Amino acid sequence: MKSAPLLLLLLLFIGSQSFAQALVQGSVKDATGQPIPGANVVLKGAYDGASTDGTGAFRFSTKLKGAQTLAVSFLGYATVEKEINLDQPQRSLSFTLKPDYRQLQAVQISAGAFEASDEKRAALLNSRDIVTTAGASADIMAAINTLPGTQKVGEEGKLFVRGGDSYEAKTFIDGLQVANPYTAIIPDVPSRGRFSPFLFSGMAFSSGGYSAEFGQALSSALLLQSQDLPEESQTGISLMTIGGNLSRTKRWTNTSLAVSAEYTNLAPYMNLVPQRQSWQHMPETKAGSLVFRQKTSPTGMLKLYGTYASSHFAVTQPDVNHPEKPVPVDLRNQNLFLNSTYEKTFKEHWTLQTGMTFTHTQDHIAAGEALVTANQNTWNGKAVLIGDISRSVTLRTGLETQLRGYRQTYLENPISAARKGMVDEQNVAGFAEADVYLGDKLVARPGLRWERSFFLAKNALSPRLALAYKVGKEGQFYFAYGHFYQTPENDYLKYHTPLNFEKATHYILNYQRTFGKRTLRVEGYYKQYRHLIRYNATNLIDATEITNGGHGYARGVEFFFRDQESIKLGDYWISYSLLDTKRLYKGFPVAARPSFASTHNLNLVYKQMVNPIKTYVGTTFSYTSGRPYHNPNLEGFQRSRTKHYLDLSLSASYLTSFKGHSTIVHVACNNLLGFNNVFGYRYATTPNAEGQFDRQPVVPGAKRFALLALLISINDGKK
């Protein structure tokens, strides 16, 4: 029984400790007085706490003493904190939680924008979609062309959006504008996007009404968000019928480094497949890239990306004015792109995003006896601060600057005097924008952007407003309005004629419904153009006057439906655009529909995973109504139409392994049925003996394009 006193002392000690604990109790309700079950009630910096029961009540004991902070939180409600003193007897506490509509995400700004990112639950396109969309050939721009609002312009390969020219559609990487997002081109040889879709974790295509953060874009903004740290170290090998790629990614705990080298040469392929063009040097590209990522803190990320590409091709093109004397065209292009960004969240509710890009582009073009050399250097810097200034208001504000230096030399023939063009432009901008949640069904996004062009010596003020209203559990209406300004292109600025910003005003009304893995979207819009560039000749080189006297409009209705649920392992979308537009710009004598703008655009995309043979099959059908062109043999301007554009493309990816490494065998064919598509016509400048103007069609280089690729991924393992 000697242990009895010890046991008694132990019981007394435990009892004294229990009596030393403080009791915390109370209840949690919403703004209407209804209890909130499951709310978390904790002492900040400690593990002591409890969850509310079915009546909203909570109760727990703690050994902590003195002044403490009690925090109450529940999903969809703003967190409430209260200071309490545990050295004093605690009375029952009462908390009232108010909705935090930002957490609920019940309603979102979405008109004009097709988004896909890690954060969006209703993603519409992602990197995998880009690669597996038949007819896109892993080109971001080509895949975006299957969405409503875009126009298929096969001879250029660029984005044309809602009646806007290609230079009005801008691309941004991590919020910074890309000066030259396309590969170099000459007439009738289409370009591609410069960047691989696998560089990006998120993509948002906005065909109008976009954020005040983005400027210098009249028609659309393609927003690409680069990836963070990769999951694992990996070596990639790609062998294709048109070239190859070798890449290596190394992942450490908080750091990664990726390098790649790529070589593309279409000569072997084009020697096998008949071409309509007379190639002297078939397209050849040498490229390399480096990507460095560093996680600097739990909320900090530094990214550095650089790529260099050198390309060359030469082709002999027919001249409608001199059929007996085709014109040799030789193009050499070099492009260097550097992008650096840093992002950090501090004080829990504030995020700083900074970045800078540099682009160097050099073109050497020889066309017959003419020689053109062009160099452009572009710097872009940006800083954005994002934070919550209240439970229902999120503010985004920032500053941006762009420096652009452009030099061009033109020789009409070897003995002519050189014509030189020079542009040194600086554009500075500031913006502020807020998401204001006015309840669980309504959100407003007012914004204002100011820009100054030092070359133009002009200022521009762009008010913008977006409203979204939720209807039912799955749908919402959206309205957007805004002014958008853009500095004229270098081809006009180099003449040093007094010019102004080109301007567009957007009005958009949208309904979108997301139910399960299905998305339905209907959108109507109206765009008004002012101060477009206009000159007093058919061709710019013959013009004696360049002004901002142009104007125009674009209006239309668009439909989009995507279903990833109805068909097992299947995915399809339907995209349709109806466009009415006219412009008085460039050398147009009267307002007319531009040659890139077709009235009807339809895309049907279907993808299916066939499990028994581990093959992913995709097909895309595209229809575009006839595009306008000017026929000098007929009365009027831009009155003729090409025949309808048709394309059926097919792709298949077989998933297998090679010596234990993930391997994909990919085959694709564009325009599988060999439709004879015509993009337009070129006419002679003078009539023939019969008084008619001769013409030549603008057609694809070949009826079909086929690709065979072998992709091998050698993984080191996850970190």
Side-chain angles (χ1 to χ4, degrees), residues 370-373 408-413 416-421 541:
L371 178 64
V372 181
T373 302
Q408 184 192 72
T409 301
Y410 173 74
L411 287 171
E412 189 172 354
N413 56 64
S416 66
R419 301 182 192 176
K420 295 188 176 181
I541 196 170

Side-chain angles (χ1 to χ4, degrees), residues 57-68:
F58 66 90
R59 178 188 178 96
F60 67 92
S61 299
T62 179
K63 299 177 183 178
L64 296 177
K65 295 181 178 297
Q68 301 291 335

Side-chain angles (χ1 to χ4, degrees), residues 632-633 686-694:
N633 296 311
T686 57
N688 57 26
E690 289 78 29
Q692 293 291 302
F693 291 86
D694 293 328

Side-chain angles (χ1 to χ4, degrees), residues 90 105 144 150 183 195 310 355 464 504 538 591 603 627-628 632 647 699:
Q90 295 297 308
Q105 291 186 341
I144 294 297
T150 60
T183 58
F195 304 103
S310 174
R464 300 182 190 178
T538 303
N603 289 279
R627 287 164 43 192
D647 181 282
V699 296

Side-chain angles (χ1 to χ4, degrees), residues 56-259:
F58 66 90
R59 178 188 178 96
F60 67 92
S61 299
T62 179
K63 299 177 183 178
L64 296 177
K65 295 181 178 297
Q68 301 291 335
T69 300
L70 187 66
V72 182
S73 62
F74 187 68
L75 182 64
Y77 291 83
T79 299
V80 174
E81 297 181 356
K82 181 179 288 189
E83 299 295 327
I84 60 175
N85 189 342
L86 295 178
D87 292 339
Q88 300 175 357
Q90 295 297 308
R91 59 183 179 180
S92 182
L93 302 170
S94 178
F95 292 89
T96 300
L97 300 188
K98 297 181 179 180
D100 186 339
Y101 301 115
R102 293 167 301 173
Q103 291 186 34
L104 288 172
Q105 291 186 341
V107 59
Q108 298 175 356
I109 301 292
S110 65
F114 286 83
E115 299 194 35
S117 67
D118 298 335
E119 294 80 17
K120 294 290 182 182
R121 283 176 278 176
L124 295 179
L125 286 185
N126 53 33
S127 298
R128 180 183 175 185
D129 289 324
I130 300 296
V131 175
T132 57
T133 297
S137 300
D139 179 21
I140 294 175
M141 308 304 180
I144 294 297
N145 264 320
T146 66
L147 295 179
T150 60
Q151 307 279 296
K152 286 191 179 296
V153 184
E155 69 273 30
E156 292 204 34
K158 298 180 179 181
L159 284 179
F160 292 77
V161 181
R162 289 183 172 175
D165 212 326
S166 61
Y167 72 89
E168 301 171 19
K170 299 298 184 180
T171 300
F172 300 81
I173 294 180
D174 293 335
L176 296 160
Q177 188 179 132
V178 181
N180 291 282
Y182 299 98
T183 58
I185 64 168
I186 60 173
D188 306 341
V189 178
S191 65
R192 287 176 54 90
R194 287 190 182 274
F195 304 103
S196 165
F198 292 112
L199 288 171
F200 308 108
S201 60
M203 301 179 190
F205 170 60
S206 179
S207 51
Y210 30 92
S211 164
E213 179 182 347
F214 305 104
Q216 290 294 301
L218 282 186
S219 289
S220 71
L222 176 59
L223 313 177
L224 306 175
Q225 185 66 38
S226 64
Q227 292 184 358
D228 290 334
L229 290 171
E231 292 187 357
E232 55 192 342
S233 297
Q234 185 180 84
T235 299
I237 302 172
S238 301
L239 300 175
M240 299 171 285
T241 50
I242 58 172
N245 176 282
L246 178 64
S247 64
R248 172 62 181 167
T249 299
K250 179 64 178 177
R251 166 71 192 268
W252 295 275
T253 303
N254 294 315
T255 310
S256 71
L257 179 67
V259 295

Side-chain angles (χ1 to χ4, degrees), residues 127-134 606-607 616-619 651 653 666:
S127 298
R128 180 183 175 185
D129 289 324
I130 300 296
V131 175
T132 57
T133 297
Y606 179 74
K607 306 176 185 183
Y616 199 79
V617 180
T619 182
S651 68
S653 298
H666 179 78

